[in-house]
Amino acid sequence: MAKLKVGIVGCGGIMKWSHLPAYAHIADQVEIVALCDIVPGRCEEAKELARANYGSNCLDDAACYTDFEEFIKHPGIEALDICTPNYLHSPFACKALEMGIHVFCEKPDSVCVEDVLKMKKASEENGKVLMVMRNNRHTAAAKKLKALADAGEFGDLYCGRCGWVRRRGIPGKGGWFTTKAQSGGGPLIDLGVHMIDLAIYLMGNPTPVAVSGSIYSKFADNDADSSSEHSAFGEVNADGVFDVEDLAMGFIKFDNGACLQIEFSWASNIEVFDRNFVELRGSKAGLTWEQSGTGCRVFTETFGKLVDIDMTEENAMLGHEGNLRHFVDVVVNGAKPDFVPQQGVNMIKILSAIYESAATGKEVSLVD
């Protein structure tokens, strides 16, 4: 079977530590034909990392570029994988889709509603697949929970809460992560996509209709953040910008009457050092999904007695690989996608509305 020819733009942290190991494992299905990064030498560093850390030569034959316009014209690219700073997601995706190239993009979908709508339109008008990273859907535990939800085992999943909270963990302080013009925001847009998406996915993808929220920035000048492993994820710039939030809280209402509380922080004076979770309550049973699927439980009732069921899966952390495998299956084999662009539009509407609500102090309607 012919391999899907993929070009990757952006060879920084998310590509090296999440996408690259996935490609090393699916080298029988994918051929990486070209790499692009604005930083000279970074593509070559990725090739060395593939060989040294993953024992793979999956990048060896890839051509290296520093200019996207030249890269995207490389002969034979059938699918583009976007691993760049957030503000480049939409323009790069739209360019590729308009050239007849399928697109897989890192989250978030875009930095604003206008841009995510452009992506959706480009995908539809050109008949090409557009998928955005939703790796937590592809953890083993999440798959089991979704199957139970679809079978009606939880009944009506009518409310819940989700979050990703860190005691300390501001990525690349002063770099693009903390520069709103490039990132679109702080932990809400960085971490929020993950848990909000998983919660809504397990709830059956209800449509959001109203949002309220508050954001705070209290740790821009706090040096204690350097103790966190997450601080080194982006590139630190001591003379850079920090104009995003470090904590966001909010509340989402859906068209079916369900609701969801949310909380996301890069830095906050709390007990736990780093925790991500989804907790949903149903009329028949409830569930929790914690720490990337490593602590999943179902809470139900059997013969009049309360019962807790452990759903933890040892391979819960394989979400990125599972998501990329699914993308390849959709493009090559015509599999039904578990993500459609409208879900990305709904996500960016939620995030943008929380920022708007925080600025105005009012609930924001998402109903046109």
Side-chain angles (χ1 to χ4, degrees):
M1 182 178 70
K3 296 182 180 180
L4 179 67
K5 293 179 171 58
V6 175
I8 305 174
V9 57
C11 294
I14 195 65
M15 181 273 192
K16 291 177 180 176
W17 307 117
S18 297
H19 292 234
L20 180 51
Y23 284 123
H25 291 153
I26 61 174
D28 61 326
Q29 302 175 51
V30 171
E31 178 186 354
I32 310 299
V33 297
L35 301 172
C36 180
D37 196 287
I38 193 173
V39 179
R42 189 174 280 172
C43 295
E44 288 76 11
E45 291 174 4
K47 290 186 176 186
E48 294 177 7
L49 184 66
R51 292 188 292 265
N53 283 35
Y54 309 116
S56 173
N57 61 356
C58 64
L59 301 184
D60 281 1
D61 296 328
C64 294
Y65 296 86
T66 55
D67 181 84
F68 178 78
E69 293 298 328
E70 293 181 4
F71 154 81
I72 200 62
K73 296 175 184 177
H74 182 86
I77 294 179
E78 298 171 316
L80 174 67
D81 185 358
I82 303 174
C83 299
T84 65
N86 302 345
Y87 74 106
L88 294 172
H89 290 182
S90 180
F92 284 0
C94 290
K95 177 73 173 182
L97 291 164
E98 289 164 2
M99 293 176 63
I101 297 170
H102 302 287
V103 170
F104 186 90
C105 183
E106 252 302 327
K107 59 80 193 168
D109 309 68
S110 71
V111 296
C112 66
V113 175
E114 180 183 4
D115 282 354
V116 75
L117 287 171
K118 289 179 181 177
M119 295 167 72
K120 179 175 181 287
K121 181 180 180 181
S123 172
E124 293 172 346
E125 289 186 346
N126 294 282
K128 295 300 175 181
V129 174
L130 168 64
M131 296 188 72
V132 180
M133 182 65 82
R134 297 295 195 262
N135 52 292
N136 293 294
R137 297 185 182 191
H138 292 269
T139 61
K143 286 180 175 291
K144 282 192 173 183
L145 292 173
K146 178 61 173 172
L148 291 173
D150 289 347
E153 295 297 325
F154 297 109
D156 176 23
L157 286 166
Y158 57 92
C159 68
R161 62 191 185 99
C162 68
W164 193 328
V165 292
R166 293 174 180 167
R167 188 165 183 172
R168 296 293 185 273
I170 300 172
K173 186 181 287 186
W176 74 263
F177 273 99
T178 65
T179 303
K180 188 174 179 63
Q182 297 183 11
S183 63
L188 176 62
I189 199 167
D190 177 37
L191 307 178
V193 172
H194 286 294
M195 299 299 102
I196 294 173
D197 175 74
L198 182 58
I200 295 176
Y201 178 65
L202 293 175
M203 294 169 77
N205 289 308
T207 301
V209 295
V211 167
S212 59
S214 297
I215 63 173
Y216 303 90
S217 182
K218 303 293 185 180
F219 289 84
D221 300 320
N222 190 310
D223 293 333
D225 187 72
S226 61
S227 63
S228 167
E229 63 178 301
H230 300 289
S231 304
F233 193 79
E235 294 185 359
V236 176
N237 181 357
D239 299 318
V241 175
F242 194 121
D243 62 353
V244 299
E245 82 282 358
D246 51 44
L247 182 145
M249 289 187 174
F251 192 78
I252 307 168
K253 297 178 181 177
F254 299 95
D255 61 345
N256 63 352
C259 66
L260 186 68
Q261 302 174 47
I262 63 171
E263 178 181 354
F264 302 98
S265 67
W266 280 339
S268 186
N269 288 321
I270 54 178
E271 180 181 4
V272 296
F273 198 76
D274 188 337
R275 179 190 178 215
N276 54 41
F277 68 92
V278 170
E279 173 190 292
L280 297 178
R281 305 173 194 181
S283 54
K284 292 183 180 179
L287 67 91
T288 59
W289 180 102
E290 295 190 62
Q291 294 303 108
S292 298
T294 59
C296 295
R297 294 172 296 280
V298 170
F299 310 102
T300 187
E301 182 178 336
T302 302
F303 300 113
K305 293 185 178 182
L306 300 180
V307 177
D308 296 354
I309 304 172
D310 189 347
M311 299 290 292
T312 302
E313 285 283 351
E314 292 182 1
N315 63 340
M317 298 293 287
L318 299 177
H320 288 88
E321 180 180 330
N323 207 161
L324 282 164
R325 283 184 181 275
H326 178 58
F327 171 70
V328 174
D329 193 25
V330 171
V331 172
V332 175
N333 301 317
K336 181 180 179 180
D338 74 345
F339 170 90
V340 295
Q342 183 60 46
Q343 294 170 9
V345 172
N346 291 344
M347 176 62 68
I348 301 305
K349 281 185 175 181
I350 288 172
L351 303 183
S352 298
I354 291 173
Y355 287 126
E356 181 182 345
S357 175
T360 63
K362 300 178 182 179
E363 182 178 83
V364 176
S365 173
L366 300 181
V367 179
D368 295 330

